[in-house]
Amino acid sequence: MALIVQKFGGTSVGSVDRIEQVAAKVKKFRDNGDDIVVVVSAMSGETNRLIDLAKQISEQPVARELDVMVSTGEQVTIALLAMALIKIGVPAVSYTGSQVRILTDSAHTKARILQIDSQQIHKELKAGRVVVVAGFQGVDEAGNITTLGRGGSDTTGVALAAALKADECQIYTDVDGVYTTDPRVVAKAQRLDKITFEEMLEMASLGSKVLQIRAVEFAGKYSVPLRVLHSFQEGPGTLITLDEEESMEQPIISGIAFNRDEAKLTIRGVPDTPGVAFKILGPISSANVEVDMIVQNVAHDNTTDFTFTVHRNDYHNALQVLEGIARDMGAREVIGDVDIAKVSIVGVGMRSHAGVASRMFEALAKENINIQMISTSEIKVSVVIEEKYLELAVRALHTAFELDAPAGKGE
Ligand code: ASP
Ligand code: MG
């Protein structure tokens, strides 16, 4: 008999009909003898609807009150799911985050879980009930309702699994697993049977949206076996694991991630003296703008060019700050470019194989795609390219690293 935490996302509980399907699924596991804790999101669209309501009152709603309101989305779905379970003969009980006592810090709208009281849940399980817990929410020391940030129900699921020492945390969603890349871009993308936490973390932070990054971090830190599955289709899904066993068939690259959310800024002709990077990036960071990739060119004539990327939402802010810096430093000019995209190959296999980056550059060269920036880590290589070549680049790399599904599969 296993203890399983199952998390169902917004589309999986998007209607009463679907909630009843979820209940039927939970019943199957329970009939198997497993203890089940279910974590649910709000019905799809509900959190956005609530936030919209608040914005009609104020562009910047008070964070505490926003949390009181958006947490109601999940409160509706836990009750509906518990009712649906009881209706088909499965004893069930619902709990909000504060009723469980999912203790968080007081950072409203982006709170972090500090501690989970598992006592009550264990008691309910022992009494033979399925426990349905609201995702995305908690309570702070003072008793205020908090929420964990968008997509936070994944984190609730993983954190509960860790606290309860569950055998597996299953994340049910509208895809049947983690793919080598977005199947909407590459029709031959394949579902991965397994991926490591490290790779999943890179994929998630590089733009693959299957799981919330924090949830993956949490699962890795507490070694919670995590599985991504389709809510309404049968299948093994994708297991996210700690071990990186090497097998002959194991591809070097596990996946290709991409994102269009970045913008590039260049400051040209800055004096090449110690402290330049700090003089440029210090004010950028003080303006609360996060910098991703950074490239400083080799100097000539005692001046150099300095390029970095930021989130596209921060572009105008960063550009303004940079223009001020350029004036102060007597730099030649500032250039900005929002029509860029980042493409990354990710795989722990890179550790034991040479020539991975050059294979990537070769594939892009063959398609005549110019690389504007490059950055690498132990298990990934990222490039910045012109946005209009993004899909071509992803497809070319998918083929070059032999990730395409055999004909007739995955199409
Ligand atoms: N309902 C919340 C959201 O839409 C949390 C979640 O779905 O994970 O972001
Ligand atoms: Mg989600």
Side-chain angles (χ1 to χ4, degrees), residues 236-282:
T238 299
L239 183 66
I240 302 159
T241 60
L242 276 177
D243 51 295
E244 39 183 278
E245 61 198 46
E246 276 278 352
S247 77
M248 293 298 283
E249 297 108 287
Q250 188 87 12
I252 298 166
I253 296 305
S254 293
I256 299 170
F258 55 86
N259 94 57
R260 309 169 202 261
D261 295 336
E262 290 194 25
K264 190 177 76 168
L265 294 143
T266 299
I267 178 163
R268 299 198 53 205
V270 295
D272 184 38
T273 51
V276 162
F278 176 63
K279 271 187 207 147
I280 295 169
L281 295 180

Side-chain angles (χ1 to χ4, degrees), residues 199-219:
E199 290 170 320
M200 192 61 227
L201 212 50
E202 288 284 6
M203 294 287 279
S205 58
L206 293 168
S208 161
K209 301 217 165 56
V210 185
L211 284 170
Q212 200 205 24
I213 294 170
R214 269 170 66 189
V216 183
E217 275 171 3
F218 213 106

Side-chain angles (χ1 to χ4, degrees), residues 305-362:
D305 298 345
F306 195 94
T307 302
F308 58 95
T309 64
V310 299
H311 194 280
R312 221 173 265 192
N313 292 344
D314 291 327
Y315 173 69
H316 287 285
N317 194 358
L319 188 63
Q320 236 175 11
V321 174
L322 199 58
E323 275 165 354
I325 298 166
R327 269 193 304 275
D328 293 348
M329 293 176 87
R332 199 174 314 133
E333 62 177 336
V334 170
I335 312 168
D337 186 357
V338 293
D339 296 320
I340 59 156
K342 183 165 84 171
V343 183
S344 310
I345 56 173
V346 175
V348 290
M350 266 183 228
R351 287 197 180 115
S352 47
H353 289 84
V356 176
S358 66
R359 191 155 150 200
M360 177 186 202
F361 305 150
E362 183 188 11

Side-chain angles (χ1 to χ4, degrees), residues 7 41-42 47 74 136 149-154:
K7 182 261 171 180
S41 292
T47 307
E74 274 73 11
F136 177 55
R150 298 308 304 269
S153 299
D154 290 348

